[in-house]
Amino acid sequence: MRAATNSIVTSSPRKLIFDCDPGVDDAVALLLAFSSPELDLLGVTTVAGNVSAALTARNACIVREIAGATGVPVIAGCTKPLVREPVEAGHFHGVSGLGSLPVFTPQRGAEIGHAVEFLIETLREAAPGEITLVVTGPMTNVAAALQSQPGIAVAIREIVVMGGARSEGGNITASAEYNIYADPHAAKVVVESGCPLVMFGLDVTHQVRATPARIAALRALGSSRALAAAQLLQFSTDLPENGPREQGAPLHDPCPIAWLLAPEAFEFRACHIDIETQSKLTLGHTAVEFRPQPGRVMHARWGVRADAARVFALLEERLR
Ligand code: BDR
Ligand code: CA
């Protein structure tokens, strides 16, 4: 297990692997990442989650093509969680996983190879603290890589996660948020790895809402990527499950990427995090403890506040 440390190596642009399950909000996060030169996107790894592993890989390739980022490899990963049966979230993302966005066969598909192998090889070759991982789906790929080769943790600068819930309660059960619920055993491996964690749970992502006015502002930009983002967000905001349309759907997955680009838009509290894997009732609950625990290093930060206007200004700036 690795002791929590601050960043060891900083390079500009930041070297990043983006692990996701697109997913409408993952897709918007990808558009933002592909449009941001401060990020050196080494690869996009995909995992079964919102929809099947085959669809999440295809969707990442579609979004890559829309963004014109064909140089970034997409590598498909785990087809099911570590232990539990798969739980998809198609009702939030549509049958394709991309809401009402027209899907097509991308010109370039996913690479040959497996996401877990890509993670292991890339981290093994990296310098200590060189690579940031962003995870916006179930953490199966990252957990499988850490379980197989624990030594790779040293290369991880921090793991920036969309997942978990505390004050807001869950969005799939009373106490669990989807990404953690979908693979709680993987989340447990990741939070116990000792890697520095930056967590964007529902407490913070529910503060960043895709209101009709914000979607209209994106649409007005007229670029292919802004139009795609507007269509994806419109799908989420139109879903009754996401609350009244005027309030707008929460913008979950773009938050970690937005933080990498505009850290001042978010506030955090240092904490310990544990994941519930035993109880049927609270499976996937994130136990967030702000009080110091004797003998335990606090290696996590929990998002508590977001400047939604800043996040949407960033999206507009990058997708125009
Ligand atoms: C998370 O669940 C998924 O459905 C979204 O893509 C996001 O990552 C929000 O709970
Ligand atoms: Ca996701």
Side-chain angles (χ1 to χ4, degrees):
M1 195 185 277
R2 171 179 175 204
T5 56
N6 289 327
S7 322
I8 299 168
V9 168
T10 52
S11 54
S12 191
R14 185 192 276 248
K15 289 188 193 296
L16 183 75
I17 300 174
F18 189 173
D19 188 72
C20 55
D21 64 334
V24 295
D25 55 336
D26 304 78
V28 177
L30 281 168
L31 288 168
L32 182 59
F34 285 138
S35 309
S36 297
E38 304 91 325
L39 304 178
D40 178 5
L41 201 43
L42 304 177
V44 173
T45 51
T46 56
V47 68
N50 288 322
V51 286
S52 70
L55 288 184
T56 58
R58 180 208 59 179
N59 291 348
C61 294
I62 287 176
V63 177
R64 175 178 65 182
E65 207 157 303
I66 292 170
T70 41
V72 179
V74 170
I75 311 98
C78 296
T79 56
K80 57 187 177 60
L82 291 187
V83 177
R84 69 164 308 158
E85 290 302 309
V87 190
E88 295 188 358
H91 50 294
F92 277 104
H93 300 271
V95 180
S96 71
L98 291 179
S100 58
L101 199 71
V103 292
F104 54 87
T105 305
Q107 285 184 4
R108 182 179 170 196
E111 305 300 306
I112 295 169
H114 196 283
V116 174
E117 284 310 312
F118 177 82
L119 283 162
I120 291 172
E121 279 162 27
T122 310
L123 291 167
R124 215 190 245 145
E125 284 165 17
E130 190 178 15
I131 309 243
T132 298
L133 302 185
V134 168
V135 189
T136 63
M139 295 193 233
T140 322
N141 287 336
V142 177
L146 287 167
Q147 277 184 325
S148 161
Q149 299 292 327
I152 58 175
V154 77
I156 298 175
R157 176 170 169 180
E158 53 207 346
I159 306 180
V160 189
V161 171
M162 190 282 129
R166 181 178 180 273
S167 312
E168 285 284 297
N171 62 357
I172 185 142
T173 67
S175 57
E177 178 280 328
Y178 173 76
N179 287 339
I180 309 293
Y181 183 78
D183 197 342
H185 303 90
K188 186 172 166 63
V189 170
V190 171
V191 305
E192 291 180 0
S193 68
C195 292
L197 280 176
V198 187
M199 296 282 293
F200 293 83
L202 301 182
D203 297 6
V204 73
T205 65
H206 280 189
Q207 297 174 31
V208 188
R209 298 269 174 180
T211 60
R214 287 171 175 157
I215 295 173
L218 279 171
R219 190 176 293 117
L221 296 175
S223 67
S224 337
R225 41 186 98 186
L227 289 172
Q231 190 159 358
L232 290 158
L233 296 177
Q234 188 71 56
F235 178 85
S236 295
T237 281
D238 285 344
L239 276 183
E241 289 86 341
N242 280 325
R245 187 180 280 124
E246 316 72 61
Q247 177 186 269
L251 190 78
H252 303 291
D253 292 344
C255 285
I257 299 291
W259 173 71
L260 294 174
L261 302 167
E264 73 285 356
F266 298 91
E267 283 175 33
F268 299 88
R269 285 182 69 184
C271 64
H272 301 285
I273 297 182
D274 291 292
I275 307 291
E276 175 58 58
T277 56
Q278 305 291 325
S279 154
K280 231 175 163 179
L281 183 63
T282 58
L283 183 70
H285 171 68
T286 36
V288 180
E289 174 60 273
F290 295 128
R291 294 167 298 184
Q293 303 288 296
R296 260 185 112 185
V297 179
M298 255 186 193
H299 63 85
R301 280 183 283 167
W302 182 255
V304 291
R305 208 173 315 283
D307 178 346
R310 176 77 186 91
V311 173
F312 275 89
L314 182 70
L315 267 178
E316 282 187 44
E317 175 195 308
R318 298 309 165 94
L319 303 187
R320 75 173 56 249

